[in-house]
Structures are given as structure tokens and as C-alpha cells.
């Protein structure tokens, strides 16, 4: 795909280039005008995004739109997040999906009866030495102190699974997989709890226990990455802030999966 621009940092010029305009037409059709206007507004609302490499902003926005996830921070479905790539000495845009976006994609499959993620407060977490693992007393809240994060799904066939991480486990996870967390800025700093909810629901869906649509697989794969290319349903990505997340070791005493068939 040609990306020759009049100026490398001019998103509007990039979007109006012949090849890119044609690509938007092919993928979005009548939604093209709304997409272009929205993407320029999003970029102009953030000084870092305004100067980010245009192709990365475009690809992140295109993936979110093709997944039918609105790019509105207040809705919490999907985000375009700037990241300074010090190795290349440029600012690039990452695609990030929110936990509500993952919920939406899961429910669209028609296979899920319920899927959710919750903050676990002091007094709500109960350790259980039985085979089933941990459970929660949601009425036992003692304070507003968050001690962990839990995600859960139940399929229409009765299968259900739960994933829990203590706040300490999540902090270790973020430190391992996110450079922005270690540097003290970005979404982890701005809203740790929201990122915690996203992480536990994403890890649960990526555990091998959950049925995934192609859309869900693409969203999980592309999350927190720079999308180098997105054409004809093929996604080429690179991780500049983090490495692909893995499900934490379930042997840890404060992090465990629970699965059962009713």
C-alpha cells in the first residue's frame, strides 16, 4: 500500500491520498465521511496524536471502526493511544480495546449468556481451598480499597469460567508487559482500575477456554500494538510498548482460573 505524503505528520493529507481514500471506500463505504471526520477530531484533541505517524493513527482507527467499536473515551470500547517510539524517534499510535469492547464482541457471537468484569473490594474476596478455587462475597464489602479484579463468562451451553488477579499480581503483570506503566504515564497511570478490568477479561478470553470469533481474535491480537498494516482482513502489528500478554501462572496463590460445566 502506498503511503507517500506531502508531509509525514499531516493526517488529513494522508487520509486524502488516492490509495488511502480508495482503501477507506472499499472497507467502510458510506461510513467513510464520518470516519475521516472523527479520526481527525480525535487526533486534533491530543497533542501527541496530532504529531503521531499518520499511518499508525489511520490503521488504529480503521480497525476500531471495522470492529464497529466507537472511538469515544467516555464509552470505553476502543482507544487510539499515542506512544513515543524512542528507537525510531517517532510518535506512533496504538490500538487499545477497552473491557466494554471485549464484552461487546463476545456478546455478538451469540454464544455468551453473560460476560463481565468487576472490581473486588476489601471483604469481598474469599479464599477457598476446595477444588473450585476462589469465590466472592459481594455483600461483604468493608471499604473502598480495591484488592483484586475478577472476570467471568457463562456460555449458553452452561459452561462458565472465572479469572481472578489480586492487585499485587496485576501490578506485576503491568510492570512486565507495559513500558508506559514502568515509566509512570499512560492509561495504567490515568485509570489503573479500568486497565485492570480490561486485563482480567482479556486474559480470561485468551485462556483457551472461551470461544473466540475472528473479530475477537483480531482485537485481542492487536490490543496495545501499533498496527503496521491492515488490509483485506490481514493485520500486521508490532509491540513497541509491550510484549504480547500471556495468562499468568495459575499456580500463584492469588491468581487462579475456575472452570466448570453445569
Amino acid at each position: 500500500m502506498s503511503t507517500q505524503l506531502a508531509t509525514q505528520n499531516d493526517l488529513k493529507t494522508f487520509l486524502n491520498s488516492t490509495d488511502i481514500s480508495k482503501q477507506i471506500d472499499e472497507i467502510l463505504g458510506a461510513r467513510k465521511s464520518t470516519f475521516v471526520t472523527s479520526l481527525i477530531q480525535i487526533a486534533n484533541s491530543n497533542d501527541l496524536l496530532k504529531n503521531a505517524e499518520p499511518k499508525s493513527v489511520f490503521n488504529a482507527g480503521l480497525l476500531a471502526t471495522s470492529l464497529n467499536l466507537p472511538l469515544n473515551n467516555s464509552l470505553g470500547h476502543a482507544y487510539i493511544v499515542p506512544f513515543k517510539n524512542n528507537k525510531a524517534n517517532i510518535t506512533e499510535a496504538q490500538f487499545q480495546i477497552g473491557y466494554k469492547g471485549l464484552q461487546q464482541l463476545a456478546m455478538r457471537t451469540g454464544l455468551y449468556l453473560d460476560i463481565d468484569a468487576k472490581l473486588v473490594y476489601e471483604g469481598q474476596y474469599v479464599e477457598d481451598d476446595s477444588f473450585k478455587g476462589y469465590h466472592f462475597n459481594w455483600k461483604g464489602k468493608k471499604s473502598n480499597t480495591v484488592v483484586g479484579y475478577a472476570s467471568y463468562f457463562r456460555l449458553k451451553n452452561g459452561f462458565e469460567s472465572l479469572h481472578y488477579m489480586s492487585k499485587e499480581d496485576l501490578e506485576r503483570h503491568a510492570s512486565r508487559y507495559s513500558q508506559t506503566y514502568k515509566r509512570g504515564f499512560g492509561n495504567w497511570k490515568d485509570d489503573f482500575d479500568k486497565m485492570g478490568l480490561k486485563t482480567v477479561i482479556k486474559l480470561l478470553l485468551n485462556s483457551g477456554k472461551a470461544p473466540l470469533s475472528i473479530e475477537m481474535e483480531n482485537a485481542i491480537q492487536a490490543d496495545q500494538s501499533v498496527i503496521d498494516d491492515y488490509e483485506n482482513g490481514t493485520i500486521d502489528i508490532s509491540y513497541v510498548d509491550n510484549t504480547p500478554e500471556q495468562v499468568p501462572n495459575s499456580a500463584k496463590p492469588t491468581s487462579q482460573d475456575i472452570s466448570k460445566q453445569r
Side-chain angles (χ1 to χ4, degrees), residues 179-238:
Q179 295 298 319
T180 55
Y181 174 79
K182 288 188 283 190
R183 295 174 187 173
F185 69 93
N187 284 355
W188 281 105
K189 180 179 183 297
D190 296 339
D191 199 333
F192 185 91
D193 287 342
K194 185 180 290 185
M195 289 296 289
L197 293 172
K198 193 274 285 286
T199 298
V200 291
I201 202 168
K202 176 183 171 182
L203 292 176
L204 177 60
L205 290 174
N206 204 29
S207 65
K209 300 179 177 70
L212 301 178
S213 64
I214 297 298
E215 286 185 333
M216 293 169 71
E217 290 178 358
N218 286 341
I220 290 172
Q221 178 190 18
D223 182 47
Q224 293 180 251
S225 76
V226 172
I227 302 173
D228 300 315
D229 221 342
Y230 178 54
E231 192 170 12
N232 297 325
T234 300
I235 303 175
D236 293 325
I237 62 177
S238 57

Side-chain angles (χ1 to χ4, degrees), residues 76-93:
H77 289 81
Y79 310 88
I80 302 177
V81 180
F83 179 80
K84 181 61 182 294
N85 185 342
N86 290 321
K87 291 182 180 179
N89 195 30
I90 57 174
T91 298
E92 295 178 295

Side-chain angles (χ1 to χ4, degrees), residues 41-82:
Q41 288 176 343
I42 290 169
N44 287 340
S45 69
N46 185 299
D47 288 339
L48 290 176
L49 272 182
K50 192 184 301 183
N51 295 311
E53 199 281 314
K55 184 179 179 181
S56 65
V57 178
F58 165 68
N59 284 336
L62 187 62
L63 177 58
T65 303
S66 65
L67 293 172
N68 200 23
L69 297 175
L71 288 166
N72 185 320
N73 288 357
S74 63
L75 296 178
H77 289 81
Y79 310 88
I80 302 177
V81 180

Side-chain angles (χ1 to χ4, degrees), residues 63-226:
L63 177 58
T65 303
S66 65
L67 293 172
N68 200 23
L69 297 175
L71 288 166
N72 185 320
N73 288 357
S74 63
L75 296 178
H77 289 81
Y79 310 88
I80 302 177
V81 180
F83 179 80
K84 181 61 182 294
N85 185 342
N86 290 321
K87 291 182 180 179
N89 195 30
I90 57 174
T91 298
E92 295 178 295
Q94 293 178 326
F95 167 82
Q96 288 194 11
I97 189 167
Y99 79 95
K100 291 182 180 179
L102 289 169
Q103 284 178 309
Q104 284 288 314
L105 294 180
M107 294 306 292
R108 287 178 199 168
T109 67
L111 299 174
Y112 292 79
L113 188 64
D114 190 21
I115 179 168
D116 203 358
K118 285 187 177 183
L119 301 176
V120 181
Y121 295 95
E122 182 182 19
Q124 292 181 327
Y125 165 80
V126 180
E127 185 171 351
D128 185 347
D129 290 330
S130 71
F131 179 75
K132 292 181 180 180
Y134 304 112
H135 64 273
F136 306 94
N137 176 17
W138 298 115
K139 295 182 179 180
K141 180 179 177 181
K142 295 180 179 179
S143 72
N144 289 325
T145 300
V146 176
V147 298
Y149 304 82
S151 59
Y152 165 86
F153 73 76
R154 185 181 180 192
L155 302 179
K156 290 184 176 179
N157 66 6
F159 180 83
E160 57 186 353
S161 185
L162 180 149
H163 185 70
Y164 172 77
M165 293 179 76
S166 70
K167 188 168 186 176
E168 292 76 15
D169 271 350
L170 194 68
E171 288 169 344
R172 284 191 288 269
H173 180 88
S175 180
R176 178 179 180 183
Y177 291 107
S178 175
Q179 295 298 319
T180 55
Y181 174 79
K182 288 188 283 190
R183 295 174 187 173
F185 69 93
N187 284 355
W188 281 105
K189 180 179 183 297
D190 296 339
D191 199 333
F192 185 91
D193 287 342
K194 185 180 290 185
M195 289 296 289
L197 293 172
K198 193 274 285 286
T199 298
V200 291
I201 202 168
K202 176 183 171 182
L203 292 176
L204 177 60
L205 290 174
N206 204 29
S207 65
K209 300 179 177 70
L212 301 178
S213 64
I214 297 298
E215 286 185 333
M216 293 169 71
E217 290 178 358
N218 286 341
I220 290 172
Q221 178 190 18
D223 182 47
Q224 293 180 251
S225 76
V226 172

